[in-house]
Amino acid sequence: MKLLSRKVTCNSHGQNSSYFLGWQEYEKNPYDENKNPTGIIQMGLAENQLSFDLLELWLAKNPDAAGFKKDGESLFRELALFQDYNGLPAFKKALVEFMAEIRGNKVTFDENKIVLTAGATSANETLMFCLANPGEAFLVPTPYYPGFDRDLKWRTGVEIVPIQCTSFNDFQITSSALEQAYKEAQKRNRTVKGVLVTNPSNPLGTTMTRSELNLLVNFISEKEIHLISDEIYSGTVFGSPEFVSIIEVLKDRKCEDIEVYNRVHIVYSLSKDLGLPGFRVGAIYSNDDMVVAAATKMSSFGLVSSQTQYLLSEMLSDKKFTKNYIMENQKRLKLRHKKLVSGLESAGISCLKSNASLFCWVDMRHLLTSTTFEAEMELWKQIVYDVKLNISPGSSCHCTEPGWFRVCFANMSEKTLNLAMERLKVFVQSMNGSNNLSQYQSTKNSRRKSLTKWVFRLSFHDRQLEER
Ligand SMILES: Cc1ncc(COP(=O)(O)O)c(C=O)c1O
């Protein structure tokens, strides 16, 4: 241990949260309809598996793209040697056009202002390296994607100061919450370098309103700080109100020629909208030439492979395909979302009204034995070990109110979702005393006991760190 760096031995990667722990538990006992029908159903993974057939159909119709051929000629050697970290121009062009199409072509993106990265994970971290020094802070509204603790903080040394949002106004950002977070950072002796939001939100599944976006632009203008808008879920918006990108707000406010425009940066990825997290395709879009130049140099540490860029440049420049894909994918997400909401309803559980993403923000406050995070953890363990559903507790997303959970709906078949809802319904009935409780009485095995200690120890430790 002594020979290792502090980075390796410190805990700031955030991967000891129950969010990641749930994945580990799922891996030990994964549900399979035939091989393991009583296993854990994975509902803690924001994957989009609903439109794979559309991608596969395109691949079958366009074998040259995956075979690295163009006009009958092999591109193998060219692609194998390609190493320009600026990326393939054809791919950057196809990507910015796809981003504009998702935004209803109300805005355009300049391919010279985009930097390719290995997913949004790398894009967010790269922006931290570009915009903040170790010890400086970014304000992030709660609840937020648990991976941010790793992506924004761990290697960069940047701090996250939460903007506390609550169910009182459906977790929307307010002016007073922004001011309070700013003051809190000052109290902690942290220089605030910016605000980072996720629009549509992970874990809320909602799009930000125009007034929230305007509030943010006003705030960063006044404080002279940056704004990062992680728009990784922009293509998943399946219901009204429609998605408004920060870039659209800047355009409407005619900010293109004023300085604040250089301080707004967009993060994007094909992990959710195209359902390709394994391909590792992300991007930073920035109007600041210095940021673009530095981020491009840094992208050497996490490039997108040339064969991936080539394949996707062919796919995304097929406008007939992209138009149909965007529409059909949203239609399928809408249906699936409806299934989850009605399944939860029949179990007596409601969720935040949402219009986007691959999950719902589910309200289980009425199932807690007390209004505490310990009770939330107890309920979570019951749901993972007894009901056998891996969902993500709100505390892992830094939610300030116990009893909220993120539940994913697009990474499984409809049949599996139905089974999950059936399990949940029986569980809630058993909690209400109208069914056989013994079904859910815990098997107090040693693994679960040690997990209990571990989770409590870690959440206590995390809270101590946050309070510091
Ligand atoms: C808000 C948000 N940002 C970034 C990421 C990371 O995405 P990627 O797979 O592109 O690295 C995720 C993944 O879940 C996410 O939800």
Side-chain angles (χ1 to χ4, degrees):
M1 285 276 268
K2 276 189 192 150
L3 288 174
L4 302 178
S5 71
R6 275 196 294 277
K7 205 54 82 187
V8 168
T9 49
C10 78
N11 238 343
S12 63
H13 48 70
Q15 289 208 198
N16 43 23
S17 98
S18 46
Y19 174 78
F20 293 105
L21 193 65
W23 292 3
Q24 285 171 27
E25 290 310 307
Y26 163 77
E27 291 297 337
K28 290 177 199 159
N29 181 20
Y31 168 79
D32 181 279
E33 187 181 351
N34 302 313
K35 291 190 209 128
N36 190 16
T38 58
I40 298 176
I41 297 175
Q42 174 62 291
M43 304 188 92
L45 190 57
E47 263 179 7
N48 181 5
Q49 296 185 18
L50 299 191
S51 299
F52 270 155
D53 59 317
L54 303 180
L55 301 177
E56 283 162 348
L57 187 66
W58 186 90
L59 288 172
K61 283 190 189 161
N62 297 275
D64 274 8
F68 313 123
K69 280 191 195 151
K70 185 98 182 163
D71 305 323
E73 300 277 315
S74 171
L75 291 175
F76 172 76
R77 291 181 181 207
E78 205 178 303
L79 291 172
L81 292 172
F82 181 81
Q83 50 189 303
D84 179 354
Y85 60 34
N86 286 291
L88 278 179
F91 178 55
K92 286 167 64 171
K93 180 170 182 295
L95 186 63
V96 290
E97 285 175 3
F98 184 63
M99 287 167 67
E101 195 177 355
I102 283 171
R103 288 153 186 80
N105 288 314
K106 287 184 209 148
V107 287
T108 51
F109 294 93
D110 177 349
E111 65 222 61
N112 297 311
K113 295 180 179 177
I114 201 157
V115 180
L116 301 178
T117 58
T121 301
S122 173
N124 279 317
E125 189 194 52
T126 300
L127 275 174
M128 287 302 118
F129 276 124
C130 290
L131 308 179
N133 296 307
E136 292 180 333
F138 258 75
L139 311 181
V140 182
T142 62
Y144 64 77
Y145 163 55
F148 282 157
D149 290 322
R150 173 197 59 205
D151 306 349
L152 308 184
K153 287 164 53 177
W154 186 33
R155 299 198 301 185
T156 64
V158 170
E159 293 289 322
I160 292 178
V161 176
I163 301 166
Q164 308 289 11
C165 302
T166 66
S167 62
F168 178 72
N169 66 346
D170 293 341
F171 299 95
Q172 287 195 14
I173 300 172
T174 61
S175 170
S176 64
L178 279 169
E179 289 296 343
Q180 234 174 323
Y182 196 85
K183 274 199 201 115
E184 175 60 29
Q186 286 176 323
K187 215 166 86 188
R188 295 188 200 176
N189 263 332
R190 302 288 173 205
T191 304
V192 176
K193 295 306 284 286
V195 179
L196 184 147
V197 295
T198 308
N199 181 27
S201 161
N202 178 2
L204 301 175
T206 52
T207 47
M208 292 182 81
T209 62
R210 231 171 241 280
S211 80
E212 274 176 291
L213 293 167
N214 275 314
L215 183 68
L216 286 168
V217 174
N218 295 344
F219 184 74
I220 64 144
S221 303
E222 186 207 315
K223 305 284 191 216
E224 299 190 343
I225 55 175
H226 295 272
L227 174 61
I228 299 173
S229 179
D230 180 337
E231 300 187 355
I232 187 171
Y233 294 98
S234 50
T236 68
V237 184
F238 52 77
S240 60
E242 62 176 9
F243 173 64
V244 183
S245 168
I246 191 69
I247 196 105
E248 201 183 320
V249 170
L250 292 173
K251 188 181 159 212
D252 291 351
R253 290 172 60 139
K254 306 208 178 345
C255 289
E256 282 126 315
D257 295 323
I258 61 174
E259 203 240 338
V260 72
Y261 192 52
N262 286 7
R263 296 204 308 270
V264 178
H265 319 275
I266 292 177
V267 165
Y268 186 55
S269 156
L270 297 178
S271 296
K272 314 296 175 180
D273 292 353
L274 274 196
L276 298 175
F279 277 29
R280 309 307 305 139
V281 184
I284 294 167
Y285 187 83
S286 175
N287 197 49
D288 186 322
D289 294 341
M290 293 265 287
V291 171
V292 172
T296 303
K297 290 186 191 85
M298 284 185 203
S299 73
S300 295
F301 298 104
L303 291 173
V304 182
S305 76
S306 52
Q307 70 265 46
T308 299
Q309 289 189 54
Y310 175 67
L311 171 64
L312 293 175
S313 67
E314 291 293 296
M315 186 184 272
L316 296 184
S317 52
D318 181 344
K319 297 292 179 233
K320 204 170 141 206
F321 166 77
T322 53
K323 185 169 178 235
N324 178 58
Y325 179 90
I326 292 170
M327 216 170 55
E328 183 61 29
N329 182 47
Q330 289 169 351
K331 210 161 83 187
R332 293 179 188 190
L333 287 170
K334 184 178 184 155
L335 280 174
R336 190 51 80 78
H337 169 264
K338 201 168 155 202
K339 267 243 153 263
L340 177 68
V341 173
S342 67
L344 290 168
E345 254 170 28
S346 71
I349 297 171
S350 62
C351 49
L352 185 76
K353 192 170 179 293
S354 60
N355 62 335
S357 83
L358 313 171
F359 35 75
C360 283
W361 186 237
V362 177
D363 183 358
M364 299 203 196
R365 285 176 294 179
H366 60 297
L367 300 178
L368 298 181
T369 50
S370 65
T371 313
T372 61
F373 286 107
E374 284 72 21
E376 177 179 286
M377 210 38 88
E378 258 324 303
L379 178 63
W380 176 69
K381 279 187 281 144
Q382 272 185 303
I383 294 174
V384 174
Y385 287 104
D386 302 339
V387 192
K388 303 248 174 60
L389 305 177
N390 177 40
I391 61 176
S392 311
S395 52
S396 68
C397 304
H398 299 263
C399 185
T400 52
E401 295 170 26
W404 292 89
F405 291 81
R406 192 193 75 168
V407 179
C408 297
F409 56 73
N411 62 321
M412 68 199 77
S413 69
E414 195 173 318
K415 201 170 166 194
T416 307
L417 180 63
N418 287 339
L419 174 66
M421 290 302 100
E422 200 44 48
R423 287 183 185 178
L424 199 59
K425 192 171 166 182
V426 174
F427 171 65
V428 175
Q429 280 170 350
S430 76
M431 285 195 97
N432 292 337
S434 61
N435 214 324
N436 182 8
L437 234 180
S438 64
Q439 207 186 133
Y440 286 110
Q441 249 143 29
S442 50
T443 40
K444 296 212 184 312
N445 57 40
S446 57
R447 203 184 64 190
R448 183 168 164 176
K449 271 195 214 151
S450 65
L451 178 86
T452 311
K453 278 191 221 142
W454 198 61
V455 168
F456 280 123
R457 209 175 52 229
L458 289 171
S459 51
F460 178 67
H461 179 70
D462 283 354
R463 213 150 293 155
Q464 276 186 319
L465 282 178
E466 263 171 29
E467 278 161 13
R468 252 177 233 166

